[in-house]
């Protein structure tokens, strides 16, 4: 059975640095008008100040929104405006433990006890309360599995095991498998029942990969995405898993070695652009979208490759599956994508989806100067490696 033996507390702290969540969902009980407040008391805190941060996985860093002094009566209060849709936030005393919060209501109370960091008192936010109930179940599952692994490790260290030792080892192995299966059931049940797309994404992105293989995680994530069809983060995670599974077989792309289908769309400034306009150069046709968090996470690798090879008869054409022009153009500027771009702004109904058999993004194809597809789905170091081969 698959299981990454990491401590639960460590996993929760990894939230702050993890890179791949949506800017916001706009679904699942979003705060009307973009205003919300959270207040409460922080007891047994060593610090005098508390911070409110918004988790932004697209850039890999939290956004500092506000800080307030903890009152003499241990109280604090944050009020934030112009934040549309559900987001995941952290309320964190200076040099203290981070507490998760989802803005599914216009106001909520979060009472924090520094001695019991995993058990805040939550009122007014069903999404936050539900997430912490799941985390308590997950923490219990995780502790049980870790203890079983420790017992198994002790048995494996015996240099000359007896038949009794072998019997204990087999029993522990069965128990481990059953415990992991139970953990995975708890994950699936939570993501099927939660009313918050943000909570579902958090669990599927950070918790589930520890115990669920990608081929088993994909249908669970797909169901969650179908429950929240407007949520870009879940759609992006589903696409990422689908592409990852498909890439295990590099020969399954039927357009390999064929002339690339031509497409004509509008650039951000309204000009007509065609893929065939770039014949004579090696061209990476990069399919992406501003709402796709895995795409945004991959963009720095694409920028690096472009800067390394742009003077060697190579360029990039970005083809976006966006539907919001403003979000598309802002993402281009924010991620420093200085090459040509085009889109028909039709989301998954884009002409590019059928023409290039796109089942998920990010996705790309590399064309030679004649317009023939010579590689596809080049990610990370694989992109630079392939370009180094062909651009000698």
């Amino acid at each position: 059975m698959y299981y990454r033996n990491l401590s639960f507390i460590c996993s929760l702290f990894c939230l702050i640095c993890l890179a791949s969540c949506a800017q916001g969902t706009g679904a699942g009980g979003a705060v009307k008008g973009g205003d919300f407040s959270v207040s409460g008391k922080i007891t047994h805190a060593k610090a005098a100040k508390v911070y409110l941060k918004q988790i932004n996985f697209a850039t890999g860093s939290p956004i500092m929104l506000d800080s307030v002094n903890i009152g003499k009566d241990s109280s604090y209060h944050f009020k934030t405006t112009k934040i549309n849709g559900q987001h995941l936030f952290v309320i964190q005393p200076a040099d203290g433990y981070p507490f998760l919060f989802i803005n599914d209501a216009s106001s909520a109370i979060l009472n924090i006890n520094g001695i019991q960091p995993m058990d805040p008192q939550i009122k007014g936010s069903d999404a936050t309360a539900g997430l912490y109930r799941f985390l308590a179940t997950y923490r219990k599952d995780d502790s049980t599995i870790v203890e079983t692994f420790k017992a198994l490790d002790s048995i494996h260290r015996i240099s000359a095991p007896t038949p009794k030792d072998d019997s204990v080892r087999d029993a522990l192995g069965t128990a481990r498998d059953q415990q992991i299966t139970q953990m995975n059931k708890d994950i699936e049940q939570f993501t099927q029942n939660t009313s918050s797309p943000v909570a579902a994404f958090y669990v599927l992105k950070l918790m589930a990969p520890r115990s669920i293989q990608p081929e088993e995680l994909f249908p669970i994530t797909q169901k969650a995405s179908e429950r929240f069809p407007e949520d870009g983060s879940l759609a992006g995670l589903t696409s990422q898993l689908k592409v990852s599974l498909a890439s295990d077989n590099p020969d399954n792309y039927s357009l390999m070695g064929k002339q690339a289908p031509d497409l004509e769309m509008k650039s951000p400034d309204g000009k007509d652009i065609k893929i065939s306009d770039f014949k004579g150069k090696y061209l990476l046709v990069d399919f992406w979208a501003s709402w796709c968090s895995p795409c945004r996470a991959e963009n720095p690798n694409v920028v690096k490759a472009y800067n390394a090879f742009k003077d060697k008869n190579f360029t990039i054409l970005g083809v976006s599956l966006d539907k919001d022009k403003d979000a598309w153009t802002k993402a281009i500027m924010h991620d420093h994508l200085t090459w040509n771009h085009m889109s028909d702004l039709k989301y998954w109904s884009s002409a590019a989806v059928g023409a290039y058999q796109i089942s998920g993004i990010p996705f790309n194809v590399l064309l030679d100067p004649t317009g023939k597809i010579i590689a596809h789905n080049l990610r990370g170091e694989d992109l630079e490696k392939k370009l180094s081969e062909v651009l000698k």
Side-chain angles (χ1 to χ4, degrees):
M1 295 288 287
Y2 176 76
Y3 187 75
R4 291 171 59 199
N5 192 0
L6 303 173
S7 76
F8 175 80
I9 298 297
C10 178
S11 294
L12 190 56
F13 270 114
C14 286
L15 165 71
I16 306 301
C17 302
L18 192 68
S20 95
C21 178
Q23 300 284 338
T25 70
V31 178
K32 185 177 181 180
D35 301 350
F36 76 91
S37 66
V38 56
S39 59
K41 290 191 175 184
I42 301 178
T43 56
H44 301 98
K46 298 179 181 179
K49 190 175 289 262
V50 61
Y51 299 94
L52 177 67
K53 305 174 185 179
Q54 178 184 337
I55 301 303
N56 183 344
F57 296 95
T59 62
S61 349
I63 301 171
M64 180 70 70
L65 297 181
D66 199 1
S67 65
V68 296
N69 291 324
I70 300 173
K72 292 182 179 180
D73 61 349
S74 302
S75 66
Y76 73 95
H77 179 260
F78 290 109
K79 183 173 179 60
T80 302
T81 61
K82 297 181 180 179
I83 294 184
N84 295 311
Q86 276 191 24
H87 297 259
L88 189 60
F89 298 87
V90 164
I91 296 172
Q92 185 172 16
D95 300 323
Y97 194 84
F99 294 85
L100 304 180
F101 173 73
I102 299 171
N103 61 322
D104 61 324
S106 58
S107 65
I109 295 173
L110 182 66
N111 292 323
I112 296 169
N113 185 337
I115 298 177
Q116 297 177 305
M118 290 308 301
D119 297 303
Q121 295 179 350
I122 303 158
K123 296 180 181 180
S125 173
D126 291 340
T128 305
L131 178 58
Y132 268 95
R133 283 194 297 270
F134 167 78
L135 292 177
T137 298
Y138 184 90
R139 187 165 70 249
K140 182 179 179 180
D141 290 342
D142 180 76
S143 297
T144 301
I145 294 170
V146 168
E147 290 305 313
T148 303
F149 268 106
K150 288 180 179 178
L152 270 169
D153 185 60
S154 297
I155 293 292
H156 287 309
R157 290 176 182 272
I158 297 174
S159 57
T162 65
K164 183 178 179 180
D165 293 328
D166 291 338
S167 178
V168 171
R169 179 200 62 209
D170 292 343
L172 286 170
T174 299
R176 172 205 59 198
D177 293 350
Q178 291 173 345
Q179 291 158 5
I180 294 174
T181 297
Q182 182 60 53
M183 170 182 274
N184 294 345
K185 286 181 179 178
D186 291 337
I187 290 171
E188 185 172 8
Q189 183 177 16
F190 175 78
T191 57
Q192 287 179 351
N193 294 332
T194 180
S195 61
S196 170
V198 174
F201 178 84
Y202 170 76
V203 169
L204 289 168
K205 180 63 182 180
L206 187 63
M207 302 297 178
R210 297 182 62 198
S211 57
I212 306 178
Q213 289 279 19
E215 61 271 17
E216 298 169 343
L217 182 57
F218 172 72
I220 299 173
T221 305
Q222 188 175 42
K223 286 181 181 178
S225 183
E226 290 170 354
R227 288 187 62 220
F228 304 105
E230 296 301 317
D231 186 78
S233 58
L234 286 169
L237 182 58
T238 303
S239 296
Q240 183 184 38
L241 286 166
K242 196 167 189 175
V243 169
S244 177
L245 291 170
S247 65
D248 290 341
N249 181 4
D251 300 321
N252 65 356
Y253 188 53
S254 64
L255 295 180
M256 276 292 295
K258 298 180 181 179
Q259 285 295 118
D262 202 10
L263 294 173
E264 182 175 350
M265 298 179 185
K266 296 289 185 181
S267 68
D269 59 2
K271 295 180 181 179
D272 293 325
I273 298 181
K274 295 188 294 185
I275 290 177
S276 58
D277 291 340
F278 299 89
K279 280 191 175 181
K281 288 179 174 285
Y282 284 91
L283 175 69
L284 184 76
V285 185
D286 186 36
F287 303 97
W288 72 296
S290 66
W291 50 260
C292 168
S293 53
C295 302
R296 304 294 295 275
E298 180 65 16
N299 277 342
N301 295 324
V302 184
V303 170
K304 182 182 177 184
Y306 177 74
N307 290 333
F309 296 97
K310 64 182 180 180
D311 297 324
K312 297 184 178 182
N313 199 38
F314 167 75
T315 192
I316 298 175
L317 174 63
V319 181
S320 171
L321 270 60
D322 272 284
K323 55 184 176 181
D324 183 331
K325 183 177 180 180
D326 187 52
W328 172 41
T329 55
K330 284 181 179 178
I332 290 171
M333 295 180 61
H334 185 276
D335 292 1
H336 307 291
L337 313 181
T338 57
W339 46 84
N340 286 286
H341 294 268
M342 68 181 197
S343 179
D344 54 13
L345 297 176
K346 293 183 179 180
Y347 196 49
W348 284 106
S349 297
S350 171
V353 174
Y356 281 85
Q357 303 171 12
I358 300 172
S359 59
I361 54 176
F363 180 73
N364 58 45
V365 292
L366 180 63
L367 315 186
D368 71 8
T370 70
K372 183 174 69 175
I373 297 176
I374 58 174
H376 77 289
N377 203 27
L378 299 168
R379 305 277 292 278
E381 295 180 356
D382 290 339
L383 175 57
E384 288 197 57
K385 182 178 180 182
K386 185 63 179 181
L387 292 175
S388 296
E389 292 176 2
V390 300
L391 300 173
K392 297 178 180 178

